[in-house]
Amino acid sequence: MKYTTYIGLGSNLDNPIKQVNDALDALADLPDTTLVNHASLYQSAAMGNMDQPHYINSVAELATHLQPEDLLTELQGIENQQGRVREERWGPRTLDLDLLLYGDVVLESEQLTLPHYGLKQRAFVVVPLAEIAPDLLLPDGTALAELTGLFASDDLRRLC
Ligand code: ROI
């Protein structure tokens, strides 16, 4: 079975634009997986602990034969490859890859929660996701288009 899955990318250290672009290249190279599309890059103030640099975020759409846990392992491999050390919660990071959605799968395990727990509340996830999947329905039936209106236009700046 091939599944459509969406990955959130974020970085605010060590040349964040390059980190996100390198991560998109790495996603395109994953086994049994195709990079179908990706959103523009967006800049935003840090959510949570504000005392850190602005973030660059994007979202990628993949078509994959990998199971969710195996995909998660691959994502952690890319994070590690790009110099990520397990840093403080809410702190700055070289590269964060979040498994946002995997088909319509709803799952809560020790390793993984699907859909990603913060998805609906985060402008830096919802806005790029809506750019590439404007008609998407979340597994609970929420239309993504309903969520985009909840964020202020200055929450995010679209770069390219
Ligand atoms: N804030 C923004 N704007 N973008 C992120 O990717 C991001 N990632 C995080 C926290 C620290 C929650 N804040 C963020 O992990």
Side-chain angles (χ1 to χ4, degrees):
M1 260 304 262
K2 205 168 193 179
Y3 286 87
T4 296
T5 176
Y6 294 94
I7 311 300
L9 301 92
S11 169
N12 73 341
L13 289 179
D14 296 345
N15 194 348
I17 291 178
K18 183 175 185 318
Q19 294 293 343
V20 170
N21 282 323
D22 286 353
L24 289 169
D25 289 343
L27 291 173
D29 286 343
L30 286 181
D32 301 319
T33 302
T34 309
L35 174 63
V36 176
N37 198 2
H38 67 82
S40 309
L41 271 51
Y42 291 81
Q43 187 179 57
S44 60
M47 192 196 87
N49 171 8
M50 301 291 284
D51 189 20
Q52 54 178 312
H54 280 30
Y55 276 81
I56 299 297
N57 289 102
S58 189
V59 169
E61 176 184 343
L62 309 179
T64 189
H65 293 285
L66 297 175
Q67 291 301 302
E69 293 77 9
D70 296 331
L71 180 57
L72 183 68
T73 303
E74 294 283 355
L75 298 180
Q76 289 166 350
I78 296 171
E79 289 176 341
N80 293 337
Q81 194 81 37
Q82 292 189 212
R84 176 164 177 182
V85 281
R86 284 278 145 195
E87 59 286 278
E88 54 175 300
R89 196 169 157 82
W90 307 111
R93 50 210 57 224
T94 316
L95 180 65
D96 208 7
L97 296 178
D98 289 333
L99 183 40
L100 301 173
L101 290 163
Y102 183 96
D104 279 332
V105 171
V106 177
L107 158 74
E108 197 152 354
S109 72
E110 217 165 281
Q111 274 184 297
L112 186 59
T113 300
L114 285 169
H116 190 272
Y117 69 95
L119 193 159
K120 288 184 185 178
Q121 289 79 36
R122 298 179 170 186
F124 62 84
V125 173
V126 170
V127 173
L129 183 56
E131 181 190 333
I132 57 171
D135 300 326
L136 190 73
L137 291 180
L138 301 181
D140 69 0
T142 307
L144 196 68
E146 272 172 43
L147 300 175
T148 50
L150 302 176
F151 301 111
S153 57
D154 60 358
D155 281 347
L156 278 189
R157 192 158 76 86
R158 184 173 161 177
L159 297 183
C160 53

